[in-house]
Amino acid sequence: MLDVRDLQPQDLAGLTPEAIAQLAARMLGHIREQDERIGCQAREIEFKQAEIEFKDAKLRKITFELARLKRWKFAAKSEAMNAEQRRLFEETLAEDEASLRAQLEQLQGKAAASDGDDGGGTKNKRKPKRQALPADLPRVEHHHEPEDTNCPTSGCGRPMVRIGEDVSEELDIIPAQYFVHRHIYGKWACRCCQCLKQEPAEPRIVDGGIPAAGLVAHTLIARFVDHLPYYRQEAIAARSGVHTPRSTLAQWSGRGGAALEPLYELHKAFVLSSRVLHADETPVAMLDPGAGKTKRAYVWGYARGAFEETPGVIYEFCAGRGAQYPIAFLRADDRHGRRCWQGTLVRDEYAAYDSVVDANAWPHRIAAGCLAHARRKFDELVDASSVAQEAVQRVARIYRAERKFAAMTAAQRLSAREAIAKPLWDEMHLWLKLERGHVADGSAIAKAIDYSLSHWDTLTRNLHDGEVPVDNNHLENQIRPWATGRKAWLFAGSELAGQRAAIVMSLVQSAKLCGRDPHAYLRDVLQRLPTHPANRLEELLPHCWQPSV
């Protein structure tokens, strides 16, 4: 039988129709086989191509991770350190520099003395400009006058005239000084009526105890602002000859925290009166006595809008990170006459916040995103991706524009954003969508782009409301004291202790935001609280407080 592939046109001459039909059928079958073979090869090529792209993306991801690990391991130590470590390194460097300069000055002084040099080589050396000491600090004057004010010139000896003076100032300190208040209550009696009269004892925060309001405030500030554990405070007091066991210090703090709780509730109502609210959370270890170890708890922070004229921040210590905690915190409270919070919530994209701003449950709440979080996704890839570098530069242009709007009113800021910032956002949005089509699925840069694109509506909420900031950095800065504190006192002893810390830190951090001295504020408040009228308690809030005369 002839092979159809070898047939020539002349071979078909004289064939019967049946033979030609058979040949045609065989040729069609051969063509179908070829088509099937080509289709299989095409599908195999597509599969191989997809597999290659997946492997390339995985290789790029692994390469990025390796590069980051190498940078952490082998980069300059100043870059590998965190902020606290770098600060310690810089402090040590300053100490070493000062020590070496002192040794050098001593050596130069000895050399000048031995060579008879008058020091002219260093006389004209430019001195660093020193910041003036605060004018409100008390001054102790020391007068230095010559013992003999007669002219030392031989043959003269006449009295000299004072023509001026040079003044130099040096800063000194008296360590914390303990002193005792003696309250003497005179007794007055009428011998005729057998009547006794005496002033009642003044109410105090620790009734019947030895600490005055100032000492309770000092203990709270040392614990929650300076982050000194009680055992360190005990040792510091012992150097002054005062015995204050850590258990006693803890009891004073407990009494102080309980006294401040009504003020905390009023402050909570003030913070939640803001139409724009920041929210964030941070983990804190809490002792779990039953398990003999610590477990993870969380501090939730809420701050009034970054552009509010009167700032304020409040914290809540919670056992977990679920959505039920912020939902409960923001709902109405009939006991304190507080309505359910409504407004714009500035937060990161943690899933728990979706329930807090759910339009079906809370129709008067709006979500706003954080540009700083979106930027961090790209900043982690800057060394490995040119796309990430371009994204960071585009975000920087938006921040430069926002800095110019900071001092404006809400209406002016909204107008300026429409004219200047919105084109930058639109260009970035279009650029991100174009770049997303050029990067492989599953790669790190694709995930960074997807984060921004999927949350674009919340990231650009600031373009619709002049009171909404572009990020949540305002509150993140107020969360940092908790990160510093947990490294000092390590964990909260109980949920009640954590909430007490939240009460104190809410008030003192808000006082700092309002430009108040936290110790002066807390001392005065604790002094006045026992006798202050309950209907005028708002006067003691951080933003309303005025020192007592």
Side-chain angles (χ1 to χ4, degrees), residues 208-221:
I210 64 171
L215 183 55
V216 177
H218 174 77
T219 303
L220 291 172
I221 293 295

Side-chain angles (χ1 to χ4, degrees), residues 159-194:
M160 303 179 74
V161 179
R162 197 174 192 273
I163 59 173
E165 61 186 13
D166 290 328
V167 179
S168 65
E169 293 188 335
E170 58 182 6
L171 189 63
D172 201 353
I173 184 174
I174 299 175
Q177 183 178 9
Y178 291 87
F179 62 96
V180 179
H181 291 284
R182 297 189 71 212
H183 297 274
I184 303 171
Y185 299 91
K187 294 181 179 181
W188 297 80
C190 177
R191 298 184 183 276
C192 175
C193 303
Q194 299 296 311

Side-chain angles (χ1 to χ4, degrees), residues 190-429:
C190 177
R191 298 184 183 276
C192 175
C193 303
Q194 299 296 311
C195 176
L196 179 67
K197 186 177 181 180
Q198 187 179 29
E199 282 294 302
E202 294 183 355
R204 293 184 290 176
I205 292 294
V206 183
D207 194 21
I210 64 171
L215 183 55
V216 177
H218 174 77
T219 303
L220 291 172
I221 293 295
R223 170 74 172 178
F224 299 115
V225 177
D226 300 328
H227 311 296
L228 290 176
Y230 292 132
Y231 75 90
R232 293 185 187 174
Q233 296 186 48
E234 179 184 2
I236 293 172
R239 292 201 298 265
S240 298
V242 177
H243 180 55
T244 54
R246 64 192 72 178
S247 58
T248 302
L249 295 172
Q251 291 175 8
W252 295 350
S253 294
R255 294 287 188 91
L260 294 170
E261 189 169 354
L263 203 59
Y264 172 84
E265 292 296 336
L266 282 176
H267 184 61
K268 177 180 177 179
F270 167 69
V271 172
L272 295 186
S273 67
S274 177
R275 190 177 65 82
V276 176
L277 193 68
H278 296 257
D280 199 7
E281 79 290 334
T282 188
V284 174
M286 182 176 68
L287 190 64
D288 186 4
K293 57 183 180 180
T294 60
K295 61 181 180 181
R296 175 168 288 195
Y298 283 86
V299 170
W300 293 77
Y302 306 88
R304 290 168 62 85
F307 298 118
E308 289 278 359
E309 183 177 355
T310 307
V313 63
I314 194 162
Y315 308 104
E316 184 185 32
F317 189 90
C318 300
R321 199 188 181 197
Q324 68 269 24
Y325 298 106
I327 289 175
F329 190 84
L330 299 178
R331 69 161 51 107
D333 189 346
D334 296 334
R335 293 178 305 165
H336 300 95
R338 188 176 63 250
R339 297 184 303 169
C340 182
W341 177 80
Q342 300 176 358
T344 302
L345 187 68
V346 184
R347 80 290 179 270
D348 55 33
E349 300 302 333
Y350 173 47
Y353 292 113
D354 295 341
S355 301
V356 181
V357 293
D358 183 14
N360 296 323
W362 318 101
H364 298 291
R365 293 180 184 176
I366 304 173
C370 177
L371 181 59
H373 276 78
R375 181 190 179 280
R376 288 170 198 162
K377 305 291 183 182
F378 294 106
D379 188 61
E380 293 177 352
L381 306 172
V382 162
D383 294 337
S385 171
S386 59
V387 177
Q389 295 174 5
E390 176 68 18
V392 169
Q393 292 174 4
R394 289 180 178 273
V395 172
R397 297 188 194 110
I398 295 174
Y399 271 110
R400 280 196 293 270
E402 282 294 322
R403 281 195 289 270
K404 299 176 182 178
F405 310 152
M408 297 181 179
T409 63
Q412 293 171 339
R413 189 178 301 110
L414 184 60
S415 177
R417 283 172 174 170
E418 181 69 25
I420 300 174
K422 189 176 185 301
L424 299 176
W425 282 98
D426 292 341
E427 290 176 8
M428 183 176 175
H429 192 208

Side-chain angles (χ1 to χ4, degrees), residues 139-154:
R139 259 67 175 176
V140 179
E141 294 188 352
H142 304 271
H143 292 272
H144 306 273
E145 303 290 349
E147 293 182 0
D148 185 2
T149 57
N150 293 324
C151 179
T153 305
S154 59

